[in-house]
Amino acid sequence: MRWATAGWGSGLLGVLIFSGSLPATRVAVGSFTPLFLTSARALIAALLAAVLLAVLRQARPLRRDLAPLAVVALGAVVGFPLLTALALRHITSAHSMVFIGLLPLSTALFGVLRGRERPKPVFWLFSGLGSLAVVGFALAQGGGASLTGAGLMVAAILLCGLGYAEGAVLSRRLGGWQVISWALVLTMPVMAGLALATMPDTWTGVGTPAWISLAYVSVFSMLIGFVFWYRGLALGGIAGVGQLQLLQPFFGLSLAGLLLNEPVAWSMIAVTGLIVLCVAGAKRFA
């Protein structure tokens, strides 16, 4: 019971940290290109992770762990940060929070596929209702830009769910924080080259908010948040602690409204609430 409680506490802290990721990304893409932002945040986090692994003298992962680590890197290190950065050039961070409501369902779906479980038919009913809510919200916005942002967010959620599910399974062998650390180190050579290739020609136009946002998504969203999140999954269980992601849209909407002064319409809150209910139902019958 004590370990489970610690897992829930750790997982909640991870969700709180992740909730600031999209608002911070929204600020950062105003000064940096999505490719540079993605590579820079991964490179900074990878350097910190490498120091952490070396200081604590962690054993290198086995050869059989390299493929799962590559999947974690594809979903959590590269795919989600890049696609959300691209999406946030078309939609606000408040809009993007509606799609974050699908992340627990995406994680559950990939967990089901990987674990070869057989969910009850009601699970697919809730899954379909949640998906329809997202599609309806995207169509209601109108305009190609909004639809482009919606498509990018859906792709980001799918890749992130894959990375979460694979990382949760792998954390049982390697440990929670070790998984994201090794995944970051694995991408370091590619991210370093990409960061150099996409570096801005001048830094004079980059303001303090952009630098603070880059620091946040690099240190907290890319590393520290995962340390708490994977630890929570390992201690409290994937199915239970994973439900804490349902709180992320509400935390994120609050931050978008308070820090960025973005309009948070009642329709966004209503759709987010509907998605949360659908995801909760799907998790209940998984």
Side-chain angles (χ1 to χ4, degrees):
M1 180 64 69
R2 184 175 61 183
W3 287 109
T5 302
W8 278 79
S10 183
L12 179 59
L13 188 52
V15 168
L16 285 170
I17 293 172
F18 291 150
S19 297
S21 299
L22 291 179
T25 300
R26 172 73 171 175
V27 174
V29 293
S31 300
F32 305 115
T33 66
L35 278 176
F36 175 76
L37 178 61
T38 300
S39 55
R41 65 186 282 183
L43 179 60
I44 294 170
L47 292 171
L48 295 174
V51 172
L52 189 62
L53 290 167
V55 170
L56 298 180
R57 298 181 180 180
Q58 296 298 301
R60 293 184 179 181
L62 302 176
R63 182 174 297 181
R64 63 171 181 167
D65 297 326
L66 294 180
L69 282 172
V71 173
V72 174
L74 174 65
V77 178
V78 180
F80 184 78
L82 177 59
L83 291 173
T84 52
L86 290 169
L88 286 168
R89 286 193 158 187
H90 302 280
I91 58 177
T92 66
S93 60
H95 282 150
S96 69
M97 288 299 164
V98 176
F99 297 92
I100 294 298
L102 285 175
L103 186 52
L105 179 57
S106 176
T107 305
L109 286 172
F110 282 109
V112 166
L113 292 174
R114 197 185 186 289
R116 298 180 181 179
E117 300 175 357
R118 295 182 180 273
K120 298 177 182 179
V122 182
F123 171 87
W124 302 113
L125 173 62
F126 281 107
S127 174
L129 288 175
S131 300
L132 286 175
V134 171
V135 172
F137 176 81
L139 292 176
Q141 300 308 302
S146 179
L147 290 177
T148 299
L152 289 168
M153 282 302 304
V154 170
I157 293 303
L158 289 174
L159 280 178
C160 190
L162 174 61
Y164 278 0
E166 194 66 37
V169 174
L170 191 58
S171 66
R172 295 169 181 169
R173 293 202 305 269
L174 297 183
W177 69 269
Q178 291 91 335
V179 169
I180 189 61
S181 295
W182 285 117
L184 285 165
V185 170
L186 189 65
T187 65
M188 191 186 297
V190 175
M191 291 297 102
L194 187 59
L196 289 174
T198 58
M199 185 181 299
D201 296 329
T202 177
W203 305 100
T204 55
V206 181
T208 301
W211 286 116
I212 294 175
S213 298
L214 175 59
Y216 185 90
V217 296
S218 300
V219 179
F220 291 93
S221 303
M222 200 82 268
L223 181 60
I224 296 178
F226 277 102
V227 171
F228 290 107
W229 180 240
Y230 279 139
R231 180 177 181 271
L233 292 176
L235 294 179
I238 299 172
V241 176
Q243 294 186 34
L244 290 171
Q245 293 176 110
L246 301 177
L247 300 173
Q248 189 169 336
F250 296 104
F251 293 148
L253 284 172
S254 300
L255 289 173
L258 292 174
L259 300 181
L260 303 183
N261 293 319
E262 291 185 355
V264 180
W266 283 107
S267 60
M268 297 182 205
I269 299 175
V271 172
T272 301
L274 176 59
I275 291 173
V276 167
L277 290 176
C278 291
V279 173
K283 295 283 286 184
R284 170 68 177 80
F285 294 100

